[in-house]
Amino acid sequence: MTLPSLPLPLGGLHHVSVLTADAARNHDFYTRVMGLRLVKKTVNQDSPGMYHLFYADGAGTPGTDLTFFDFPRAAREHRGNDSVTRTTYRVTGAAALEFWTDRFDALGVPHGEVYTRDGRAHLDFEDPDGTRLSLFDDGGEGPRGTPHGDLPAGVQLQGLGYSGYHVGDLAPTRAFLETGLGLREVRRYNLDGHPTTVFALGGGGPHAELHVTEAPGLSHSRPGAGSVHHVALRVQDDRELRHWLLHLAATGYGNSGEVDRHWFHSVYIRDPNGLVIELATDGPGFATDEDLSALGERLSLPPFLESRRATIEAHLRPLHLQEGE
């Protein structure tokens, strides 16, 4: 069988979605501690009784946002294979990592020492739910985030970096990434005694990689607070998204079909190891239903849920959120 030509290459990470057990505590950490902006306060469209919070740079730029589904009082994840085990953000320069080390010390954020992984200086830390995070020095490569808040512009988070996975068997994930998504292996390194393969999206770079570690001895992960639900990859527009649908069908990878999330349009795929990947368009964007200056200030609902606003708001727990420091 001759496969159709690949669509335009994926443009890097779009967003990463995680589970939190406490939305108010989560909001305090990501706005006050990390200096991100709450750009959308909404609900889980598939289960509107829970919040879905989006944090990003000052403009809500694709590739800068980390999102959280609120599962009150959820137990923490059981860490293991076939899961996302590292979510990273890019900063630039040794001074930025020094700033964040001092800031984490002052604010009581659990963290490690700055050390070199895959040729770049990293600072590993955890949020209050135990989500495994890293800041790393991108050397000035990749897109620059729009500054927000009171932190010095030179130390602010520039956007998402790579996502790190652990799998028990690399082969099926490799086949999916290379054949299904058109990624390519660009290098390998060792992580805690396990081989890690780096796959590049499009032109690659620190904002456009997936790092897959093969660790057959680990137990299987179980989701909970702090676990990543899915990683979304950037697609230029609706036309390209539909081209990806044709390609996925031709390569035999089942998917959700096109899903209208109002602020972007998506396709969800589960790789053979169970990892959930989303393809998401850059537009229409978070300012499609709110003024850019007022993003995240009110509960925003997609049109298909608007008629249920009164019921949804009545069942949501009040969130007393204060932006920034």
Side-chain angles (χ1 to χ4, degrees):
M1 179 179 67
T2 301
L3 298 179
S5 61
L6 278 167
L8 289 177
L10 298 165
L13 270 68
H14 186 284
H15 67 268
V16 176
S17 291
V18 191
L19 309 184
T20 179
D22 187 329
R25 182 183 66 183
N26 173 271
H27 175 270
D28 177 74
F29 182 81
Y30 283 97
T31 59
R32 183 180 63 86
V33 177
M34 301 307 301
L36 294 171
R37 182 184 183 188
L38 179 68
V39 295
K40 195 63 59 179
K41 180 171 71 170
T42 185
V43 296
N44 182 342
Q45 294 182 18
D46 302 315
S47 182
M50 65 179 68
Y51 287 103
H52 191 184
L53 306 179
F54 289 72
Y55 307 101
D57 69 353
T61 308
T64 69
D65 49 316
L66 192 57
T67 93
F68 288 85
F69 297 109
D70 181 31
F71 282 80
R73 297 176 295 281
R76 287 199 175 188
E77 73 165 321
H78 173 80
R79 295 175 175 179
N81 266 336
D82 304 324
S83 65
V84 177
T85 50
R86 185 67 56 185
T87 298
T88 68
Y89 264 96
R90 296 175 291 109
V91 296
T92 303
L97 290 175
E98 182 179 358
F99 170 89
W100 283 102
T101 299
D102 292 343
R103 183 171 178 82
F104 290 162
D105 284 340
L107 296 176
V109 176
H111 69 88
E113 300 297 323
V114 174
Y115 76 106
T116 299
R117 180 165 68 233
D118 186 33
R120 294 184 184 275
H122 284 66
L123 173 62
D124 295 345
F125 65 105
E126 294 186 358
D127 75 1
D129 285 301
T131 307
R132 287 167 286 183
L133 302 155
S134 293
L135 304 179
F136 73 91
D137 181 3
D138 68 0
E141 300 178 54
R144 305 289 90 187
T146 299
H148 169 70
D150 298 329
L151 295 181
V155 303
Q156 290 195 19
L157 310 188
Q158 295 300 327
L160 289 167
Y162 64 88
S163 278
Y165 299 164
H166 272 62
V167 298
D169 181 5
L170 176 62
T173 291
R174 173 191 289 278
F176 168 66
L177 295 179
E178 293 180 339
T179 303
L181 297 183
L183 277 59
R184 68 191 191 284
E185 178 183 336
V186 291
R187 63 185 181 278
R188 298 181 187 182
Y189 64 95
N190 186 282
L191 179 64
D192 300 329
H194 300 294
T196 299
T197 305
V198 178
F199 295 91
L201 296 85
H207 66 294
E209 293 178 344
L210 302 180
H211 294 206
V212 187
T213 299
E214 187 175 37
L218 296 183
S219 61
H220 190 76
S221 65
R222 292 195 301 272
S227 64
V228 172
H229 182 270
H230 65 267
V231 172
L233 310 178
R234 291 179 69 177
V235 173
Q236 182 173 284
D237 53 29
D238 289 346
R239 178 178 176 276
E240 282 301 310
L241 188 66
R242 288 160 192 155
H243 196 170
W244 276 108
L245 279 170
L246 292 174
H247 177 77
L248 290 167
T251 51
Y253 288 104
N255 59 81
S256 65
E258 185 173 348
V259 180
D260 184 352
R261 294 303 190 194
H262 188 46
W263 306 289
F264 45 87
H265 301 152
S266 301
V267 170
Y268 298 85
I269 318 109
R270 190 179 294 273
D271 103 317
N273 278 317
L275 300 165
V276 178
I277 300 288
E278 176 184 356
L279 307 183
T281 60
D282 279 355
F286 293 123
T288 192
D289 59 349
E290 295 181 295
D291 188 87
L292 183 62
S293 65
L295 292 179
E297 293 182 3
R298 62 185 292 272
L299 182 69
S300 181
L301 297 176
F304 82 94
L305 289 178
E306 193 59 55
S307 64
R308 298 166 55 188
R309 175 177 287 274
T311 300
I312 289 171
E313 290 182 335
H315 285 86
L316 289 171
R317 295 176 301 111
L319 285 182
H320 304 292
L321 306 182
Q322 294 183 352
E323 183 73 22
E325 297 193 85

